[in-house]
Amino acid sequence: MDKKIFNEVEEKMKKALGNLKADFAAIRAGRASSALLDKVFVDYYGTPTPVNQVASVSIPEPKMILIQPWDMKMLGAIEKAILKSDLRLTPNNDGKVIRLILPELTSERRQELVKMARKKAEDAKVVIRNIRREYNETLKKMEKNHEISEDDQKRSQEEIQKLTDKYIEEIEKMFEHKEKDIMEV
């Protein structure tokens, strides 16, 4: 198979996996993690900016996130952004820092988080399959235009299928790990 095409396919699939990792990091699993705030944006002089770019975020305790803005005027904006987010956390603002105390997850909330993780994993699988389909169509066109032989096309499609299977399996492992992480009491 054309190395260039193979590398493009693999690069796109790796990117899909990276996006899933980022999505999973933003799903709370009972322990505090600064990644929970990765998708929380605050209005910083008219520009939506991630919280970690306007404040230092630390984890002083397993169930607490401490946010210390570099500009104290941002305290209220950060608090509002957290309240508007889907984190379901109430920020405690003492005028200097914001504390986020993570409550124990109920079994219902754990189930919701597993469903959310499952959906993100399924979405990632769809992305992987779409990449496979896109490149298989490219290979068929190349064969039709006599740029590659029929044997090369079939061989290339088999290689792409192997890559697809590898990344789908990786997504499954990531989901199983995240599910275990969420359900751990």
Side-chain angles (χ1 to χ4, degrees):
M1 169 159 72
D2 184 352
K3 267 291 187 215
K4 182 179 169 246
I5 290 176
F6 185 81
N7 290 340
E8 280 178 31
V9 171
E10 188 160 36
E11 202 55 46
K12 285 186 176 184
M13 289 184 178
K14 278 182 185 172
K15 193 179 257 182
L17 214 60
N19 290 339
L20 180 63
K21 272 185 186 146
D23 286 345
F24 277 179
I27 297 175
R28 183 161 78 90
R31 283 180 300 283
S33 164
S34 60
L36 289 175
L37 298 172
D38 285 353
K39 301 225 186 257
V40 179
F41 289 83
V42 63
D43 183 32
Y44 187 64
Y45 297 105
T47 307
T49 309
V51 169
N52 63 4
Q53 291 183 15
V54 296
S56 84
V57 178
S58 60
I59 314 295
E61 298 172 24
K63 298 267 184 206
M64 182 194 294
I65 300 174
L66 192 68
I67 305 163
Q68 189 163 16
W70 296 314
D71 178 355
M72 286 303 153
K73 294 179 200 135
M74 293 301 299
L75 212 53
I78 293 171
E79 188 175 12
K80 282 182 192 159
I82 292 167
L83 287 168
K84 277 198 263 181
S85 74
D86 63 354
L87 290 176
R88 294 186 183 178
L89 296 174
T90 306
N92 297 328
N93 179 348
D94 70 3
K96 290 188 175 111
V97 295
I98 294 175
R99 284 180 182 78
L100 294 176
I101 309 296
L102 283 81
E104 282 297 323
L105 293 173
T106 63
S107 60
E108 294 84 28
R109 181 66 180 144
R110 287 178 194 276
Q111 291 300 327
E112 283 177 37
L113 292 172
V114 168
K115 276 184 192 169
M116 191 185 308
R118 182 174 284 119
K119 182 179 180 344
K120 295 208 182 281
E122 287 305 317
D123 292 348
K125 287 180 190 177
V126 168
V127 169
I128 297 289
R129 291 183 190 119
N130 285 340
I131 293 167
R132 174 190 61 194
R133 186 175 37 79
E134 172 191 337
Y135 280 92
N136 281 345
E137 287 171 8
T138 300
L139 289 167
K140 284 177 188 171
K141 284 179 191 165
M142 289 172 75
E143 193 256 326
K144 191 176 179 183
N145 296 336
H146 305 292
E147 294 173 46
I148 59 172
S149 69
E150 188 178 337
D151 287 346
D152 285 343
Q153 181 220 348
K154 296 266 187 251
R155 226 181 339 272
S156 296
Q157 285 182 332
E158 286 172 12
E159 290 295 316
I160 289 174
Q161 185 59 49
K162 284 179 190 170
L163 260 185
T164 302
D165 294 343
K166 173 186 160 188
Y167 281 96
I168 296 278
E169 187 179 322
E170 190 68 31
I171 289 169
E172 282 294 324
K173 285 179 188 170
M174 285 171 63
F175 170 71
E176 286 170 15
H177 179 74
K178 187 64 180 181
E179 182 180 33
K180 186 177 159 222
D181 199 28
I182 291 169
M183 296 310 286
E184 218 168 68
V185 179

